Amino acid sequence: MKGKQHWHDPVAESYRATISHKVPGYYLLHELTVDVLETEVKEADSRILTVGAGGGEEIINMLQRKEDWLITGVDPSASMLDMARRRVAQLRMEARVTWYETALNKVSPEAVYDAAVSLLVIHFVENRLPFLQEIARRLRPGAPLVLAFIQGDMKSRAFQQELHMLSLFMQRQGLEKEVFSSFKDRLGRATHPVPEEEIRGHLIEAGFKDIRPYFQAGMIKGLVCKRGRREADER
């Protein structure tokens, strides 16, 4: 799953080829994400911030579904971002996308966006509150944030059950057992599942409100919320 990692080209290409076999409901998640945004974002020429844009699946979905949206893609991985750029170039829609090959906190907060999307990223982030605060700084009041992540408490029985379900899913997709073993070995080290109570608390502290779920498939959870008053930035 994509995130704040040093992706080499073969890994980036492998990501696109296998990600839908690792994430239950991967394509449905992206379709529903745009459904949520279409419901929440009504203005013409709306500006959408995509945090963790490498791979480009969410950007491709937005570009194809909404002809008047302008997308900003942020990702620190050069090879992952190059993949997203190539996919957008194939659609000949480069003029509608602005790219930043860096972490979000290195992007100027002066631009204010009408919505933000961050799918399958935050579980790679250990210090999650500052990450959410950086997103909040760049959103207008009332703007939605759509967030999807690996959820759960690793010590809980429910998480262990969902982990077993994921192993069965990957096997049915034809992946070798080593793929699941590698994923499991990274838990708690490179991949940090997000307890729902924790993420809700962080979202509220970062200035978001009206938090509600819009997707779940096993341990993959999707939430949508809205940016509250920007005064929360000063706390």
Side-chain angles (χ1 to χ4, degrees):
M1 295 179 187
K2 71 185 176 184
K4 193 177 179 182
Q5 299 187 5
H6 298 288
W7 296 93
H8 301 291
D9 288 338
V11 177
E13 295 301 333
S14 173
Y15 172 86
R16 184 181 174 190
T18 63
I19 186 63
S20 65
H21 301 310
K22 298 177 182 178
V23 177
Y26 178 77
Y27 293 115
L28 178 60
L29 167 64
H30 285 81
E31 291 170 10
L32 292 178
T33 294
V34 184
D35 290 344
V36 169
L37 290 172
E38 280 201 67
T39 302
E40 299 286 349
V41 179
K42 303 297 186 182
E43 297 83 358
D45 299 324
S46 291
R47 303 177 65 191
I48 315 295
L49 174 65
T50 306
V51 185
E57 187 68 28
E58 48 270 74
I59 291 178
I60 295 298
N61 274 268
M62 288 188 283
L63 289 174
Q64 291 181 320
R65 293 261 302 268
K66 296 297 290 183
E67 295 181 355
D68 58 348
W69 284 0
L70 303 174
I71 315 296
T72 294
V74 181
D75 199 298
S77 167
S79 55
M80 290 292 285
L81 208 60
D82 283 346
M83 184 199 306
R85 285 192 182 104
R86 291 197 302 272
R87 296 186 68 187
V88 170
Q90 289 172 355
L91 297 177
R92 304 191 178 199
M93 294 183 177
E94 302 97 317
R96 292 172 53 198
V97 185
T98 301
W99 305 99
Y100 289 98
E101 185 188 310
T102 186
L104 181 61
N105 62 1
K106 301 295 177 59
V107 177
S108 171
E110 293 180 5
V112 178
Y113 295 89
D114 300 298
V117 178
S118 186
L119 303 184
L120 307 176
V121 173
I122 199 169
H123 51 250
F124 292 113
V125 179
E126 288 190 75
N127 200 359
R128 294 189 262 256
L129 177 58
F131 177 82
L132 294 170
Q133 289 172 326
E134 290 293 338
I135 295 176
R137 290 177 67 194
R138 293 161 176 82
L139 291 177
R140 63 168 178 76
L145 164 64
V146 186
L147 193 68
F149 49 89
I150 298 174
Q151 63 87 30
D153 178 354
M154 288 179 57
K155 298 178 182 178
S156 70
R157 183 170 180 269
F159 186 84
Q160 295 306 313
Q161 291 175 321
E162 289 173 349
L163 198 58
H164 182 64
M165 288 169 58
L166 183 62
S167 73
L168 297 176
F169 173 79
M170 287 188 184
Q171 286 178 37
R172 286 200 312 279
Q173 307 308 305
L175 296 178
E176 299 292 335
K177 291 183 179 180
E178 290 76 12
V179 176
F180 174 76
S181 298
S182 176
F183 167 76
K184 187 176 180 181
D185 289 344
R186 292 195 301 272
L187 291 173
R189 296 189 297 157
T191 306
H192 308 278
V194 184
E196 188 165 351
E197 287 187 10
E198 175 193 307
I199 196 68
R200 285 180 175 271
H202 285 340
L203 284 167
I204 292 168
E205 189 170 352
F208 292 97
K209 62 181 183 178
D210 300 336
I211 304 164
R212 61 180 176 84
Y214 78 99
F215 178 88
Q216 183 157 3
M219 61 176 58
I220 306 299
K221 183 87 171 186
L223 297 176
V224 57
C225 53
K226 292 184 180 180
R227 181 69 171 90
R229 295 181 305 151
R230 294 185 61 83
E231 286 78 3
D233 294 342
E234 306 302 324
R235 291 188 301 175

